[in-house]
Amino acid sequence: MRQDRQDYGVGLLFSTTGTYAALGQDGLDGALMALDEVNSDPSLGFRLRARIENPGGVIERYHALCEDMIRRDGCRHVVGTITSLSRKEIIPAIEKHDALLWYMCPYEGFECSDNVVYTGACPNQHIVPLFQHVLPRYGARACLVGSNYIWGWEINRIARALIQPCGGEVLSERYLPLGSEDVGRIVAEIAQKKPDFILNNFVGTTSYAFFRAMRLLAEQDPSFRPEIRPIVSCNLTECELGLIGEAGIGHLSSAIWFEEAGGPENAAFVARAKARLGGGRRPSAFFTGAYAAVRLLAEAIREAGTDDVAGVKPVLTARSFATPAGRLSIDPRTNHATLTPHLGRIAEGGRFDIIESAPEPMAPDPYLVHFDPDRLAALVAAARQAGDVPSSAPDARPTA
Amino acid sequence: MTNARVTIPNFRNWRAVVLHRPSPTTDAVLRQLERLGIQARALWPELDAESAEADVIFFDADMGFDEQFPWPPGEAPVPLVALVGSEAPGRLEWVLARGAGAHLMKPVSSGGVYSALVIAGHALRQRGALAGEVRSLRDRLRRRPQVASAVLRVMTAQRIESAEAMQRIRRAAMEHGQSIEDYCDALLAAPEAEAARAGLKPGKP
């Protein structure tokens, strides 16, 4: 092995403490697993040097830490940020220094920076397929909840735009500050409104408290059991199931990767990840996403012969790459990834049963340019005609 | 979050013209428009015949001039977005006179086009709606003398107070599915005797 391998700095910016620490920890762990694999690969002529920072979920810390990574440590690539709030906070620094941010979370779309690679799902890859499954089966009367920042606001706005053409109804739309566990009034309102389903855009501890309170509600009123009125999410993964516990079982989430998705290569990856994580921890889409981002970065540096953004970007968009979630390609027009969305139902033991998968990888559509609301409306209308959708009178439905 | 619901349009299949010299800004705007599903072309210095079909025009605020546009200042039939480099007051004056609904600062990079489109489109719709409302109010103002005459006639014929007369006219106009002004015109046009007898049943003018 050559001792004088070139050394490239990579910033890993994840909040591993604070209200959404579970997601940040999974992201960091995935990135580090990829980093170790890259650095122990003698065929590569370089090493990746991690500069790890933990903003602790405090939004004011992100910008300065990101600037530092780029200016002091010469990182041209930063992998990380979980919330859209923190991503938007560091993009100006990333753009100013012409660095590249690798963002691997599901997000609300309507953004397209030339200095960001978006490897997580955008709305046509999460909420649209989620609603295509949920609305025809459970009905189109919804309560929308979310953490009080752009992710919740925008996903709920999109939800409204999907629900209305279907003749559905948004019965309530409520927000709580990040970190709040004060879900009582919102759950009381849901108990009274009896929606067909609840769209959950809470993040971190708020989400866990909400699931637990909804579980108590379902114990009092069986018509709130998940098979009748599910809580559906676009960002819930394995890494939070332990924190939610029993209360999550039966509810639904969309993700671009679940443990059972994919073939033998994925299974081998899962085994490696579990061995590395230890303690019964399972990898999640956040872990896998960060892992894939770092592996992709290393491949691109190898091919480009430099970590210069101008050299790396053309490689990324020129071909597809193998990842645990399948072949991944980056659309050169939008810098977003082509991905295969899955829908999972939370099962016992901290895992998801996959109940539906897109038949093929879906091109990203961050501005929902190609989404046709009439198609969803037709699906719902057909289900209604077939009698599959519950009557709009909430009390007319059977209780479990 | 308070949220006055304004529908954000989908721009798919819109056509855009970027009236700007070839430049990194022109490229950035074209690239962003393409991401939004918009067919965009760059032209300079003149719009062509096809530009009349455009749904939005981005124009250079620095080097632009009146003769580039086939319509009078302030009467653009499509949303206009100014691409502003120099913030010289004279140039901004010109941008405002052209009726720009939004602007982008040069150099344009990854952001801004989407919000400029949404805001300029909304501004044009709002301006159209307001202009329509002003037109209708002006028309009603112009016809106020006829309404006053009709009220007088009903007061005399029915021996009632003006408020009562106005109320009957309003009710009758509603029953006839007419505006108060149209109803009053018809009432005044009817033969005196008939109008007096019927009071509130004018013949069709």
Side-chain angles (χ1 to χ4, degrees), chain A residues 74-91:
Chain A
C75 298
R76 285 168 164 166
H77 298 267
V78 175
V79 182
T81 71
I82 298 289
T83 63
S84 288
L85 194 61
S86 50
R87 182 188 69 257
K88 287 189 187 285
E89 189 72 11
I90 65 165
I91 283 178

Side-chain angles (χ1 to χ4, degrees), chain A residues 95 110 112-115 153 157 160 173 175 333-335 367-371, chain B residues 1 3 5 8 10-13 31-32 34-38 109-111 114:
Chain A
E95 287 184 341
F110 294 85
C112 227
S113 170
D114 289 326
N115 293 80
W153 300 336
R157 184 194 67 79
R160 201 174 269 283
E173 181 175 345
Y175 297 93
R333 278 187 318 128
T334 62
N335 299 332
Y367 291 90
L368 285 178
V369 169
H370 303 291
F371 172 70
Chain B
M1 190 175 70
N3 210 344
R5 301 263 170 219
I8 303 291
N10 188 327
F11 297 106
R12 179 179 48 212
N13 298 332
R31 200 161 57 238
Q32 288 195 55
E34 194 198 348
R35 288 170 182 163
L36 298 170
I38 296 175
S109 60
S110 295
Y114 184 67

Side-chain angles (χ1 to χ4, degrees), chain A residues 31-323:
Chain A
L32 287 175
M33 175 165 149
L35 208 97
D36 286 349
E37 290 182 3
V38 167
N39 287 346
S40 59
D41 180 350
S43 76
L44 294 171
F46 61 88
R47 295 173 56 85
L48 298 178
R49 172 176 38 85
R51 158 85 193 259
I52 301 169
E53 289 296 347
N54 168 22
V58 179
I59 190 64
E60 291 76 14
R61 291 192 194 147
Y62 277 87
H63 184 92
L65 288 174
C66 181
E67 277 268 336
D68 247 30
M69 289 174 162
I70 300 170
R71 291 170 63 156
R72 290 234 307 261
D73 292 301
C75 298
R76 285 168 164 166
H77 298 267
V78 175
V79 182
T81 71
I82 298 289
T83 63
S84 288
L85 194 61
S86 50
R87 182 188 69 257
K88 287 189 187 285
E89 189 72 11
I90 65 165
I91 283 178
I94 295 277
E95 287 184 341
K96 186 172 79 182
H97 299 290
D98 203 16
L100 198 59
L101 170 65
W102 296 73
Y103 183 68
M104 48 77 190
C105 300
Y107 90 112
E108 66 284 348
F110 294 85
E111 185 184 290
C112 227
S113 170
D114 289 326
N115 293 80
V116 180
V117 185
Y118 303 83
T119 64
C122 58
N124 76 302
Q125 296 160 326
H126 55 70
I127 189 171
V128 171
L130 175 68
F131 272 33
Q132 277 170 351
H133 180 92
V134 168
L135 265 55
R137 287 170 180 78
Y138 298 92
R141 297 164 57 261
C143 287
L144 315 179
V145 300
S147 293
N148 202 16
Y149 75 99
I150 186 150
W151 157 260
W153 300 336
E154 271 303 303
I155 296 302
N156 284 341
R157 184 194 67 79
I158 294 169
R160 201 174 269 283
L162 299 181
I163 286 170
Q164 270 162 358
C166 298
E169 198 186 343
V170 175
L171 303 174
S172 65
E173 181 175 345
R174 300 286 173 218
Y175 297 93
L176 287 174
L178 264 172
S180 166
E181 297 186 20
D182 192 10
V183 297
R185 279 168 63 182
I186 290 179
V187 171
E189 184 180 54
I190 291 170
Q192 184 246 320
K193 300 267 186 190
K194 292 191 184 310
D196 295 330
F197 68 96
I198 301 105
L199 176 65
N200 166 39
N201 291 302
F202 286 135
V203 170
T205 47
T206 314
S207 183
Y208 319 148
F210 179 68
F211 273 98
R212 286 194 291 267
M214 287 298 293
R215 163 80 171 214
L216 286 178
L217 173 62
E219 281 167 7
Q220 291 157 15
D221 177 351
S223 85
F224 278 91
R225 283 164 55 164
E227 59 273 27
I228 302 170
R229 302 180 207 276
I231 302 170
V232 308
S233 314
C234 303
N235 58 352
L236 192 66
T237 68
E238 290 87 342
C239 69
E240 296 181 288
L241 296 187
L243 296 159
I244 296 170
E246 293 274 295
I249 292 173
H251 295 291
L252 307 177
S253 183
S254 164
I256 55 155
W257 183 88
F258 288 120
E259 198 173 308
E260 278 84 2
E265 281 165 36
N266 183 53
F269 164 78
V270 170
R272 279 205 321 277
K274 282 183 178 170
R276 184 184 168 94
L277 291 170
R281 256 179 78 193
R282 294 167 182 276
S284 71
F286 292 100
F287 181 98
T288 312
Y291 172 86
V294 172
R295 293 300 304 247
L296 220 67
L297 169 61
E299 286 258 328
I301 291 177
R302 185 181 59 78
E303 250 180 78
T306 169
D307 70 339
D308 191 82
V309 173
V312 162
K313 267 187 71 183
V315 177
L316 290 178
T317 53
R319 64 176 179 90
S320 68
F321 298 82
T323 76

